[in-house]
Amino acid sequence: MNNFEFKNPTKIIFGKDTIAKITTEIPSEAKVLLLYGGGSIKKNGIYDQVRAALSDIETIEFGGIPANPEYDTLLKALDVIKEEKITYLLAVGGGSVIDGTKFLSAAALYDGDTPWDILEKGIKTEEGMPFGTVLTLPATGSEMNSGAVITRKETKQKLAMGGPGLFPEFSVLDPQVVTSIPERQLANGITDAFMHVLEQYLTYPIGALLQDRFAESILQTLIEVAPKVLKDPTDYKATTNFMWSCTMALNGLIQKGVPTDWAVHGIGHELTALFGIDHARTLAIIAPSHYKFNLDTKKEKLAQYGERVWNITEGDIEEKAKAAIQKTEEFFNGLGIDTKLSKYTDEYKGTAETIAKRFTDRGWTGLGEHKSLTPDNVQEIVEMAY
Ligand code: NZQ
Ligand code: ZN
């Protein structure tokens, strides 16, 4: 196992009817900006619960943060923060609203030329404006990590940012919010969390027995609850396990002391930037090709995953590894998620070259756990996913 340090300061408030607890988490003298997305929270009662909890705290609001949070929209929220002298941010939404809020937390205290530099120059945020979250969509893990991904439509870019100053102070996880989530987003959430685990687990053995079993248990839990959540999002037992699995998949714990990959996310973000495909679906498109392309370097962990998670008992290491990739693709297909780019766009030809060129231009020459994947390799992986 590699050396590591682990600190995660986010307080999790988990369970039924917990939204009211934000009252005691936000300082009473704060001036709050409540941030939300396209308005789902006004239809499912979450907005009313949040507003009731904030009744004694000075609050103004900013709605309309789109899925794949857009830089231009966030700049308008930044103006509000500055004009209104906001001191505390509250994100009420899924990964997009929470990520947008993280960008604002960083940008509010940033004194450089343009806040876009935080993304383009990869500036780490050591200190941001304090914020909390009320999670409405289990998927990204953003509610308990310090990363964010921001989109700029104008230039078709989708870039990541983060830093130790960007952990939420608290996150409220009430699994009852799952009740109103459309099936497409439920399938996305399961897939995104599943892929977060695979990106931190499907590398090479390093003797981290506990981290491997953390990862496998999250995968097994997701596989077990996925059909139940999709069939009946009011099934509280299933949704509690779904929600906690998504958070645990990307709160930093399972990646400590082990190599991580993240190439699937790197390539997937480009597919969202180019075609607007939902984040989770881009991962389901790229993952099978990525694992097939890198079979040689990943086969031991792939076979372990096949044995322990999918109960594959037949064949040698390579056969088990291949069967595990097949099982993964079938799992995504079973959630209603297509795993070929051509199912999402007719304009797919040339995508591989475009993405390879973008990586070359950015100087991204060593992706994957061995930092060995070149833009040419990425081109091949994307072509295999057509
Ligand atoms: O905008 P509203 O009206 O809220 O509707 C949203 C949106 O249309 C809807 N929704 C959310 N909660 C709902 C609900 N509808 C009904 N009932 C509810 N309770 O769902 C739609 C999608 O929401 P979004 O926040 O975009 O989804 P998700 O949570 O999947 O977030 C995706 C974003 O997170 C980034 C992705 O790249 C993408 O931009 N990621 C962030 C990560 C992180 N910070 O750690 C890691 C991930 O790998 C990912 O990259
Ligand atoms: Zn993801």
Side-chain angles (χ1 to χ4, degrees):
M1 199 191 304
N2 295 328
N3 292 3
F4 66 87
E5 293 182 9
F6 183 49
K7 179 178 179 184
N8 188 318
T10 301
K11 174 174 178 179
I12 294 294
I13 302 169
F14 189 97
K16 216 172 238 182
D17 302 329
T18 43
I19 293 177
K21 294 198 175 178
I22 59 177
T23 316
T24 49
E25 297 302 321
I26 300 175
S28 55
E29 71 286 0
K31 186 166 181 188
V32 175
L33 184 62
L34 190 177
L35 294 136
Y36 60 94
S40 67
I41 62 165
K42 294 208 167 160
K43 292 184 207 131
N44 56 22
I46 297 172
Y47 176 82
D48 294 336
Q49 292 178 59
V50 169
R51 271 300 193 176
L54 292 173
S55 56
D56 290 332
I57 300 175
E58 191 180 359
T59 304
I60 50 179
E61 56 183 62
F62 184 95
I65 296 176
N68 305 312
E70 167 57 36
Y71 181 66
D72 277 353
T73 311
L74 296 171
L75 287 186
K76 290 182 189 134
L78 187 59
D79 287 343
V80 175
I81 290 170
K82 293 196 167 156
E83 278 158 23
E84 298 286 343
K85 299 194 168 36
I86 295 294
T87 63
Y88 203 99
L89 307 174
L90 179 66
V92 184
S96 294
V97 173
I98 299 175
D99 282 10
T101 301
K102 287 178 179 172
F103 168 78
L104 292 169
S105 162
L109 305 191
Y110 180 68
D111 60 5
D113 291 341
T114 159
W116 185 247
D117 284 348
I118 300 171
L119 290 139
E120 190 136 61
K121 295 189 179 161
I123 295 171
K124 271 203 171 13
T125 301
E126 299 295 330
E127 193 195 347
M129 181 173 281
F131 69 98
T133 89
V134 174
L135 180 67
T136 67
L137 173 52
T140 64
S142 189
E143 67 278 6
M144 200 180 173
N145 68 40
S146 60
V149 196
I150 304 299
T151 295
R152 195 172 188 178
K153 272 208 187 112
E154 188 195 347
T155 50
K156 291 199 170 169
Q157 280 170 293
K158 184 168 167 110
L159 298 177
M161 56 175 283
L166 292 181
F167 283 98
E169 289 199 330
F170 68 87
S171 284
V172 174
L173 277 57
D174 180 345
Q176 294 172 116
V177 300
V178 175
T179 314
S180 65
I181 300 173
E183 196 172 321
R184 163 177 160 186
Q185 300 299 345
L186 291 172
N188 284 353
I190 295 159
T191 302
D192 194 21
F194 202 86
M195 282 307 308
H196 291 159
V197 178
L198 293 189
E199 295 263 48
Q200 301 164 92
Y201 166 77
L202 283 182
T203 56
Y204 52 87
I206 193 165
L209 306 184
L210 184 59
Q211 286 89 326
D212 277 3
R213 289 195 167 88
F214 280 151
E216 288 150 3
S217 64
I218 297 171
L219 298 171
Q220 286 165 321
T221 308
L222 286 168
I223 291 167
E224 183 175 334
V225 300
K228 295 178 188 161
V229 169
L230 286 173
K231 186 166 165 242
D232 179 12
T234 67
D235 177 343
Y236 189 70
K237 191 171 156 195
T239 56
T240 50
N241 286 292
F242 167 43
M243 196 173 223
W244 188 225
S245 295
C246 292
T247 303
M248 288 301 291
L250 195 53
N251 66 1
L253 179 68
I254 68 169
Q255 71 185 4
K256 291 300 155 193
V258 301
T260 57
D261 182 341
W262 295 114
V264 177
H265 271 70
I267 303 170
H269 287 331
E270 298 303 319
L271 294 180
T272 303
L274 291 167
F275 303 112
I277 301 169
D278 291 350
H279 168 66
R281 288 164 201 256
T282 67
L283 309 176
I285 294 167
I286 297 300
S289 309
H290 178 64
Y291 298 136
K292 282 177 203 158
F293 184 87
N294 293 292
L295 190 74
D296 265 354
T297 54
K298 287 182 181 289
K299 64 184 172 205
E300 284 179 283
K301 286 303 284 286
L302 272 164
Q304 177 181 319
Y305 159 63
E307 283 167 7
R308 293 190 185 176
V309 175
W310 293 113
N311 304 315
I312 295 165
T313 51
E314 303 284 309
D316 59 18
I317 287 195
E318 196 156 314
E319 284 160 344
K320 283 179 179 163
K322 284 183 183 162
I325 300 171
Q326 177 73 21
K327 281 279 188 192
T328 310
E329 196 163 358
E330 284 167 11
F331 176 60
F332 295 149
N333 293 154
L335 301 173
I337 295 205
D338 283 318
T339 42
K340 287 289 172 201
L341 182 59
S342 51
K343 296 271 186 185
Y344 295 85
T345 172
D346 295 335
E347 322 265 288
Y348 61 88
K349 285 191 189 121
T351 305
E353 289 85 344
T354 304
I355 294 178
K357 183 172 181 318
R358 284 178 161 214
F359 282 13
T360 307
D361 292 348
R362 259 183 237 151
W364 287 12
T365 50
L367 261 70
E369 66 273 20
H370 295 289
K371 306 211 180 311
S372 59
L373 287 182
T374 63
D376 283 348
N377 297 150
V378 168
Q379 184 170 326
E380 278 187 64
I381 291 167
V382 178
E383 263 164 15
M384 286 164 68
Y386 282 176

